[in-house]
Amino acid sequence: MRAGSAEARRDATAVRGVPPRAPRDDTAVVPVAPAARVAPAAAPLEHAARGEHTHSETPIPRPRLTREGVRDTGTQVPGPRSAIAAGSAFAPAVPRPVIQRASVRGQILDALRSALVSGDLAPGEVYSAPALGDRFGVSATPVREAMQQLANEGAVEVVPNRGFRVIRRGARELAELAEIRGLVEMPVMLRLTRTVGAPCWAELRPLADATVTAAATGDHARYAESDRVFHAAVLALSGNRQLVQLADDLHRRAQWPLAGAPARRTRADLLADAAQHTAILDALTAQDVPAAQSLVREHFAGA
């Protein structure tokens, strides 16, 4: 009777659609989930993005903003991952040391460009990164990086195991650069003469005056910078940023001194060049296309 009752119960369960319970097997192996891998802790920021010859530098303490808005300069700021994990609202504002490193390289690059224009870096001479680093009071690394940029621009060439040699340029190369600059900039200036009104040109008057002031001082590096700024501002009115960048690169190359020639132009030469900026701006303001064309052509020929 009991056996019949058990069979009846199993039949009833099958009718209801419930699968019968499988017999227990104590030998069955229960799979175990693998242990979760622990992510490595984020490295401190002062050890991240290290550049060449920086292993001995002392980490720069960075201020941290607390939730009460108080600066704490004595506590190390946690890395980005740990800050985010802790729910810090100030994590994105943490400064990175790499910004300071890039700033040093940029300053060295500007100084080397000025030395090229002034003739302090003579054509044909070889300069080593460590020697220039001692001259500027920095390590050789930012100097080497800046020199590599100048090599990309065609100002210097790499001399293995020695340093960088300043490229020798002749009068023919200078004439070729002047011709290319005329082909690039002159059509744009003439088009702007017809389309840009006097108020826009008036805003560039201080830049033209700045070239005259720089020329009067006889500072070649200062004049070279003000000269490029003026031309870039004129071309910027076209709205073509690629054009401005290309023209600035050609202009910079045209400012390097020639081999075998005096390293510097006279102050009278600089003043005459600056006076042409003022005359060109006057023609552009008056929308005098023939005068602008003649002045721009003469300006590039004497560059």
Side-chain angles (χ1 to χ4, degrees):
M1 186 68 181
R2 291 180 180 178
S5 299
E7 292 176 357
R9 286 195 297 272
R10 283 197 297 272
D11 294 341
T13 302
V15 171
R16 290 195 301 268
V18 180
R21 179 180 300 177
R24 180 176 180 179
D25 185 1
D26 296 334
T27 62
V29 179
V30 179
V32 179
R37 291 181 296 178
V38 179
L45 284 180
E46 63 268 19
H47 298 297
R50 283 286 188 185
E52 185 180 2
H53 302 303
T54 57
H55 55 275
S56 61
E57 295 179 1
T58 303
I60 301 175
R62 289 167 284 114
R64 180 179 65 180
L65 288 176
T66 64
R67 294 188 179 277
E68 292 76 19
V70 179
R71 287 189 175 273
D72 180 8
T73 57
T75 305
Q76 186 67 24
V77 178
R81 293 184 179 179
S82 59
I84 294 175
S88 173
F90 306 102
V94 175
R96 299 193 177 192
V98 69
I99 297 178
Q100 179 65 23
R101 175 180 171 80
S103 175
V104 171
R105 185 185 66 173
Q107 294 178 42
I108 296 300
L109 180 59
D110 290 340
L112 291 175
R113 283 172 171 167
S114 297
L116 282 171
V117 173
S118 64
D120 291 340
L121 295 181
E125 295 296 326
V126 178
Y127 300 90
S128 68
L132 290 174
D134 292 339
R135 174 178 175 179
F136 293 116
V138 298
S139 68
T141 301
V143 176
R144 189 174 294 109
E145 293 172 346
M147 278 294 200
Q148 289 290 351
Q149 176 61 34
L150 291 177
N152 295 335
E153 297 176 1
V156 300
E157 60 182 355
V158 179
V159 180
N161 301 322
R162 294 185 60 192
F164 301 85
R165 178 186 290 113
V166 180
I167 296 294
R168 291 180 176 270
R169 301 187 314 116
R172 178 176 179 178
E173 182 179 350
L174 185 62
E176 292 173 349
L177 287 170
E179 181 180 1
I180 297 174
R181 287 187 62 199
L183 293 174
V184 172
E185 296 189 39
M186 187 179 299
V188 179
M189 286 188 176
L190 296 180
R191 175 167 57 86
L192 293 175
T193 305
R194 302 181 181 94
T195 58
V196 175
C200 290
W201 296 122
E203 295 179 0
L204 303 187
R205 184 68 59 178
L207 300 181
D209 295 340
T211 65
V212 177
T213 301
T217 65
D219 188 335
H220 287 70
R222 178 182 173 186
Y223 177 76
E225 179 65 22
S226 62
D227 184 22
R228 289 198 312 275
V229 169
F230 172 76
H231 281 268
V234 172
L235 296 178
L237 294 176
S238 69
N240 190 330
R241 289 181 293 179
Q242 298 298 323
L243 170 68
V244 175
Q245 183 176 355
L246 175 62
D248 185 69
D249 179 66
L250 293 171
H251 196 169
R252 190 185 300 279
R253 291 170 182 260
Q255 292 175 334
W256 299 331
L258 299 177
R264 301 185 178 186
R265 292 189 292 172
T266 65
R267 189 164 68 96
D269 293 334
L270 298 182
L271 286 170
D273 193 72
Q276 290 179 343
H277 292 154
T278 303
I280 291 173
L281 190 58
D282 291 339
L284 295 173
T285 303
Q287 295 186 328
D288 188 342
V289 176
Q293 184 175 8
S294 176
L295 290 168
V296 172
R297 183 181 292 110
E298 180 183 356
H299 184 63
F300 287 149

